[in-house]
Amino acid sequence: MSGHRPTLSLQILAGRAEGLADLLAHHRDLWDEAVVVDTGAGEAGAVAVAAGAEAARHPWNDDFAAARNTGLEAATADWILILDTDELIAPQDFATVRAALADPPSIRIMTTINYYGDPRHPEWRPVSGRYPAQEAGQTGCFLAGRAGLFPRRDDLRFRGCIHESIVADATRAGLPQATLDVAVHHYGYVLDPARNAARNRRDAALVRRKHAAAPQDPAACLELASVLLTEGRVADARALLERLAAHAPVDSAVTRGRFLLGRLLREGGDLDAAAALLARAVADDPRLLHCWLERIRVEAAREAWPRCHELLAEARARFGDDPLLDREDLRALIKTGRLAEAAATVDRLRSREPGWQDLAGLADRLRRLTGGGSREI
């Protein structure tokens, strides 16, 4: 209809009422309607109604897709935006979301910033500084893409009991995908440790169920391999990743599986196999920075420093001035004794990445290093 202003339905799954009123109020300037799917005892639904939202009841049945779809069936707006109770969008991005509603129908891929305090996570990075209010108190994160904004259509429904997605339905419907430069800030990993542990146990059981139902699905294989690694079952994870790495056609799950397998091979000292696998990975799908990082680490383990710098230059041409590339550059500079250049890189990083705690003592250590001293960082 000419002159129609596209409307937005904010969809939230809530098993408890805690924080829900604040979440709805935070996004009140963004949504035209909000649908809270209450998967708990009813308290979340009551809070939703009091806040001017709609409440949909879906008793929890170990199926995230089914719960999401209950919300979709209750929606009446033109577009759907998905959030959980431990997530939010920064107000500075509201206008970008609203502007996207005027675009032709598509699946908009947003970046989830998963705040995470442990830098041992294989995809950990320091916080960017782009969102000072949302990053306050956080040191790092890992990123993930999500199909978080899409048109309301009867042929779009979530699939998967966990890590549910509408992408399969969107592909069948011929809807294109496009990137939306909006972050979803996820705090679930930095909340109560006991709650995190309970969630991890539940999610691991659902991942196993998902994989049992679709053992050839690359995403299900990757998710189970990640669970096995978390549980310390490295041999089982490696066997699963080896099957996944050979999968065709290559998609994002296959590429991430190759990255994890390459990391395991490198850590196990099988550098030739790691190099071959990771070279294949970036040739087939060059979009994942972490595959490039692992390629660089393999060459560093070989002490093939010229090749390290070649790969760093190639990665920078593709991904820009990323702090994780700076970290690999630092390691190469220190290992090859180029300490003045390393110190300058640290100073530049400290000014650009003030939340990166590992840098705090590195400058002092660099000043103490000599040409004959230890070059471990």
Side-chain angles (χ1 to χ4, degrees):
M1 181 175 65
S2 177
H4 173 66
R5 176 183 181 271
T7 53
L8 180 66
S9 178
L10 175 61
Q11 302 261 317
I12 299 171
L13 287 189
R16 61 182 71 199
E18 180 184 353
L20 180 58
D22 290 340
L23 181 68
L24 289 166
H26 173 86
H27 296 93
R28 189 61 192 89
D29 291 339
L30 183 59
W31 52 268
D32 300 290
E33 73 172 11
V35 177
V36 174
V37 180
D38 188 338
T39 61
E43 291 88 350
V47 170
V49 171
E54 302 293 325
R57 189 84 174 91
H58 185 98
W60 179 243
N61 62 345
D62 289 335
D63 190 329
F64 279 99
R68 296 277 189 207
N69 292 336
T70 294
L72 296 186
E73 289 157 9
T76 62
D78 301 308
W79 288 78
I80 303 293
L81 175 66
I82 299 295
L83 287 179
D84 287 331
T85 54
D86 54 6
E87 297 177 333
L88 61 83
I89 292 174
Q92 71 191 63
D93 286 334
F94 285 5
T96 303
V97 174
R98 293 298 316 190
L101 308 185
D103 293 339
S106 65
I107 307 303
R108 305 310 296 267
I109 306 300
M110 307 160 73
T111 297
T112 301
I113 301 176
N114 298 288
Y115 292 107
Y116 200 81
D118 188 347
R120 292 173 296 180
H121 186 283
E123 298 187 32
W124 187 91
R125 61 171 53 241
V127 293
S128 69
R130 179 180 176 184
Y131 296 97
Q134 288 69 41
E135 294 172 358
Q138 309 299 325
T139 59
C141 61
F142 62 95
L143 308 180
R146 68 192 290 166
L149 179 68
F150 53 91
R152 181 178 63 86
R153 292 174 45 147
D154 291 341
D155 58 352
L156 291 184
R157 290 296 181 267
F158 283 93
R159 310 292 171 187
C161 63
I162 189 170
H163 304 132
E164 66 285 359
S165 175
I166 53 94
V167 169
D169 277 15
T171 300
R172 281 191 289 269
L175 275 176
Q177 296 185 22
T179 300
L180 183 64
D181 187 21
V182 168
V184 175
H185 302 265
H186 174 226
Y187 298 92
Y189 297 109
V190 292
L191 297 176
D192 185 315
R195 188 187 302 181
N196 288 343
R199 182 196 62 223
N200 291 341
R201 289 191 296 270
R202 177 205 65 196
D203 289 357
L206 292 179
V207 164
R208 287 185 163 90
R209 193 179 97 189
K210 180 177 180 179
H211 182 261
Q216 303 305 316
D217 176 50
C221 291
L222 176 64
E223 291 162 20
L224 180 55
S226 299
V227 168
L228 292 171
L229 288 172
T230 300
E231 295 173 347
R233 297 174 56 184
V234 176
D236 292 337
R238 176 168 171 169
L240 190 57
L241 290 170
E242 286 171 346
R243 294 196 296 273
L244 179 59
H247 189 278
V250 173
D251 64 8
S252 61
V254 173
T255 303
R256 287 187 177 277
R258 289 174 170 179
F259 152 63
L260 288 176
L261 179 57
R263 182 184 178 97
L264 290 179
L265 291 169
R266 175 180 61 81
E267 291 174 344
D270 196 346
L271 300 181
D272 289 343
L277 173 68
L278 293 164
R280 177 184 171 195
V282 298
D284 289 346
D285 182 0
R287 296 171 297 173
L288 182 63
L289 171 62
H290 292 279
C291 276
W292 290 85
L293 292 169
E294 278 302 318
R295 286 191 76 191
I296 294 164
R297 290 166 189 155
V298 168
E299 299 306 326
R302 290 169 156 173
E303 297 190 349
W305 305 116
R307 183 59 178 147
C308 273
H309 289 295
E310 289 174 6
L311 289 171
L312 278 163
E314 290 180 42
R316 287 191 191 281
R318 176 169 291 276
F319 298 101
D321 196 16
D322 191 283
L324 297 187
L325 292 171
D326 287 323
R327 181 173 64 185
E328 299 309 315
D329 196 15
L330 262 178
R331 287 172 172 161
L333 291 171
I334 291 173
K335 291 288 188 178
T336 54
R338 296 160 64 181
L339 302 186
E341 292 174 69
T345 300
V346 169
D347 289 341
R348 177 169 56 85
L349 277 173
R350 290 182 72 187
S351 63
R352 198 181 71 192
E353 309 285 346
W356 198 345
Q357 294 179 341
D358 287 353
L359 297 177
L362 183 54
D364 291 337
R365 293 203 299 275
L366 277 171
R367 281 192 291 269
R368 291 195 300 268
L369 286 172
T370 65
S374 169
R375 290 175 183 165
E376 294 296 326
I377 62 171

